[in-house]
Amino acid sequence: MNSPLTAPLLQMTLRAEPDIFVLRQRGREVATAVGLEYQDQIRIATALSEVARDLVRAVGGADVAFRAAGVEEGSPVLRVDLAPLRPFGPAGYEPTSGAVARLVDTLDLTPVGGVTVIRMSRRIPAHAEALTPQRLAELRAQLAQSAPASVLDELTSQNEQLIAALDEVRSQRDELAVLNEELEETNRGVLALYNQLSEELEETNRGVVALYAELDEKSAQLKAASESKSRFLANVSHELRAPVTAVIGLARLLADSASDPLTGEQARQVGLIRSSATDLLALVNDLLDLAKAESGRIEPDWTEVDLRVVFGQLRGTLRALATRPGVDLVVEEPPSPATLRSDETLLTRVLRNLLHNGLKFTETGEVRMRADLVDGRWRIVVSDTGAGIAPDQHERIFEEFYQVPGSTSGAGTGTGLGLPYARRLAMLLGGSLGVTSEPGRGSAFTLDLPVDGA
Ligand code: ADP
């Protein structure tokens, strides 16, 4: 029942000690022939000689057969069956060296035709030459011809193999030591990095926490300072208003035709007192307004406001101010419907302020106000053809008391409080106030307001 595939590649008998060497040598020969790798050749040969020694001692020897198995299944192995001369005792067979089983893929006892044989196998690598029936026949013929070497030869080659194996073990051990060292080094590095990072993180965290604390403290201080400034301004202006109003009243009385007549010089001086007091009152009033707006004490009175009405009133009241012959005041009619939710008084104040400035700083040309609905918001632009404002001053003019150097000459007096106040009011109304301007080309102040209030 031996087919060309399963027929033994080589058979031999094992009876005495010298046969062990022969078996070892021939085992390696068969292993080489079927394509096992060098290391595997040594492994299976060593396993064979170990088991053979056991068998010679325990049961007087064995009949040995080498086969290629599993070829048809696509997982070829070299299989060696060692059929003992006498049956094993009741304890069965256990290799003397426990390491033998590790040298091969399988090592077990298998019943074959009523006899328990020791069977070992080792996988033939996929890249080995294919074991076709023809190739197997060739191998059988080749193995049948080759004569076993002498015991001495086998011993020599065994020694060489042992030395090679030892060398390999040593070099592997050295490699392992180097690898271990590298691994330890890397571990140390990673650990150091980790420690450094977590230290840095902790440090940063501490810094951030401290920074926040400082920031909180500073903003509390800032709030307190701003509140006391507003309070101070409100109190001072309030206290100043009454005496200044009295000075104006008294000056008016002195200059009145019903009073005692004044000399020309006296009349001029009283006139100066009155105009200075009027300027002072304007400043005090502006301060009071601004302080109120800043302290949040102004509560807008939200109503439906019609821009056409507001524009109409401003057109009327400011016409009186537009006294320069070369300057036109143009208040365009807003597109209809021109309604929004806002506070009419505050809105009028902002626009009057802007128009007033326009008229004040424009020598020739026009001051124009127009309103447009853009993306669901009102955009009211007050533009003029006046002196214009340099870009680096665009934000500064919204600071309290700031006046562009040289801008007020010939433009009459001012307090530098109008724009900061107007911007405050714009914010209270839920909007914003900004400027675009170029020196020599005029300015455009844009008030942006929501349609439905803040
Ligand atoms: P005031 O007009 O009382 O000086 P404002 O706060 O209203 O104060 O304006 C601040 C400054 O901004 C003005 O002094 C002026 O230098 C500049 N400014 C405001 N409006 C205009 C404008 N329409 N054209 C040129 N400069 C302007």
Side-chain angles (χ1 to χ4, degrees):
M1 62 172 241
N2 277 331
S3 77
L5 274 176
T6 55
L9 292 168
L10 178 70
Q11 280 177 299
M12 55 178 290
T13 51
L14 173 71
R15 295 291 180 267
E17 291 271 323
D19 295 340
I20 298 172
F21 291 104
V22 180
L23 178 61
R24 189 180 194 286
Q25 186 222 3
R26 302 238 66 190
R28 197 155 58 80
E29 225 176 298
V30 180
T32 313
V34 295
L36 252 58
E37 280 167 358
Y38 179 74
Q39 297 291 341
D40 285 347
Q41 297 166 18
I42 310 282
R43 282 195 184 99
I44 199 158
T46 310
L48 268 175
S49 61
E50 284 298 311
V51 174
R53 187 172 299 117
D54 288 344
L55 287 173
V56 169
R57 284 184 192 152
V59 292
D63 291 329
V64 186
F66 294 86
R67 283 188 180 81
V71 175
E72 275 175 318
E73 294 80 18
S75 49
V77 296
L78 172 61
R79 195 168 82 192
V80 191
D81 284 346
L82 299 104
L85 270 193
R86 296 192 302 270
F88 296 117
Y93 169 71
E94 191 64 39
T96 313
S97 161
V100 169
R102 268 188 271 128
L103 295 172
V104 286
D105 294 329
T106 63
L107 174 67
D108 40 39
L109 296 176
T110 313
V112 177
V115 186
T116 301
V117 305
I118 298 173
R119 174 171 284 182
M120 63 175 76
S121 71
R122 183 80 195 174
R123 202 168 48 81
I124 298 170
H127 54 75
E129 193 178 337
L131 295 172
T132 56
Q134 192 191 342
R135 170 78 183 143
L136 288 170
E138 272 171 29
L139 291 180
R140 267 180 219 111
Q142 175 193 321
L143 289 167
Q145 268 176 18
S146 67
S150 74
V151 171
L152 204 61
D153 287 344
E154 179 55 18
L155 202 63
T156 313
S157 98
Q158 208 174 326
N159 271 346
E160 281 165 5
Q161 289 157 18
L162 199 63
I163 289 167
L166 278 177
D167 275 353
E168 176 151 346
V169 168
R170 188 177 307 129
S171 91
Q172 274 180 3
R173 202 186 47 207
D174 290 351
E175 253 172 52
L176 206 64
V178 170
L179 273 180
N180 264 345
E181 180 58 34
E182 272 175 21
L183 201 65
E184 251 169 58
E185 186 92 352
T186 312
N187 274 352
R188 276 197 294 274
V190 169
L191 208 66
L193 203 67
Y194 174 79
N195 284 339
Q196 191 184 338
L197 276 180
S198 47
E199 249 170 53
E200 270 174 27
L201 200 67
E202 236 171 76
E203 187 110 337
T204 312
N205 275 353
R206 276 199 296 274
V208 170
V209 169
L211 216 61
Y212 266 108
E214 204 175 313
L215 216 60
D216 282 350
E217 197 183 319
K218 284 274 183 298
S219 67
Q221 282 173 1
L222 214 61
K223 197 159 165 247
S226 163
E227 275 169 11
S228 35
K229 185 194 76 177
S230 297
R231 215 173 316 118
F232 171 78
L233 286 180
N235 289 342
V236 169
S237 8
H238 191 74
E239 294 303 318
L240 277 176
R241 209 140 61 140
V244 173
T245 315
V247 170
I248 295 171
L250 288 173
R252 196 186 302 124
L253 265 184
L254 277 175
D256 197 277
S257 54
S259 310
D260 290 341
L262 303 172
T263 64
E265 180 56 21
Q266 281 171 333
R268 196 183 64 81
Q269 285 174 358
V270 169
L272 276 180
I273 291 174
R274 196 172 154 187
S275 92
S276 301
T278 308
D279 286 350
L280 193 57
L281 187 63
L283 172 65
V284 168
N285 282 337
D286 281 359
L287 270 177
L288 200 58
D289 285 343
L290 187 64
K292 259 201 239 161
E294 281 197 343
S295 65
R297 265 183 285 143
I298 296 183
E299 191 55 46
D301 177 15
W302 298 104
T303 53
E304 193 81 351
V305 177
D306 190 339
L307 279 183
R308 280 170 306 178
V309 174
V310 174
F311 275 36
Q313 280 168 358
L314 285 167
R315 196 184 290 123
T317 50
L318 284 166
R319 194 164 290 145
L321 274 178
T323 49
R324 282 201 184 113
V327 180
D328 286 334
L329 172 66
V330 186
V331 177
E332 289 186 21
E333 192 65 9
S336 168
T339 51
L340 74 160
R341 241 184 103 65
S342 197
D343 180 314
E344 189 169 324
T345 314
L346 300 183
L347 176 58
T348 306
R349 248 185 244 176
V350 176
L351 296 178
R352 189 191 298 127
N353 212 308
L354 298 177
L355 286 168
H356 198 264
N357 275 350
L359 290 170
K360 197 160 66 169
F361 295 106
T362 306
E363 303 275 340
T364 54
E366 61 167 32
V367 176
R368 177 180 292 268
M369 176 160 79
R370 58 171 293 153
D372 288 295
L373 199 55
V374 182
D375 295 334
R377 293 174 77 88
W378 280 107
R379 184 188 287 169
I380 306 173
V381 182
V382 177
S383 57
D384 61 56
T385 55
I389 305 157
D392 61 334
Q393 311 279 323
H394 286 183
E395 270 312 301
R396 296 216 62 188
I397 55 172
F398 291 98
E399 290 172 13
E400 290 146 29
F401 297 110
Y402 188 79
Q403 297 181 307
V404 177
S407 67
T408 48
S409 62
T413 50
T415 58
L417 290 172
L419 286 178
Y421 179 53
R423 183 173 260 186
R424 269 272 153 201
L425 294 187
M427 282 157 73
L428 277 174
L429 296 176
S432 62
L433 177 63
V435 65
T436 52
S437 177
E438 247 182 77
R441 296 198 143 208
S443 319
F445 287 84
T446 304
L447 174 65
D448 174 275
L449 287 176
V451 170
D452 51 3

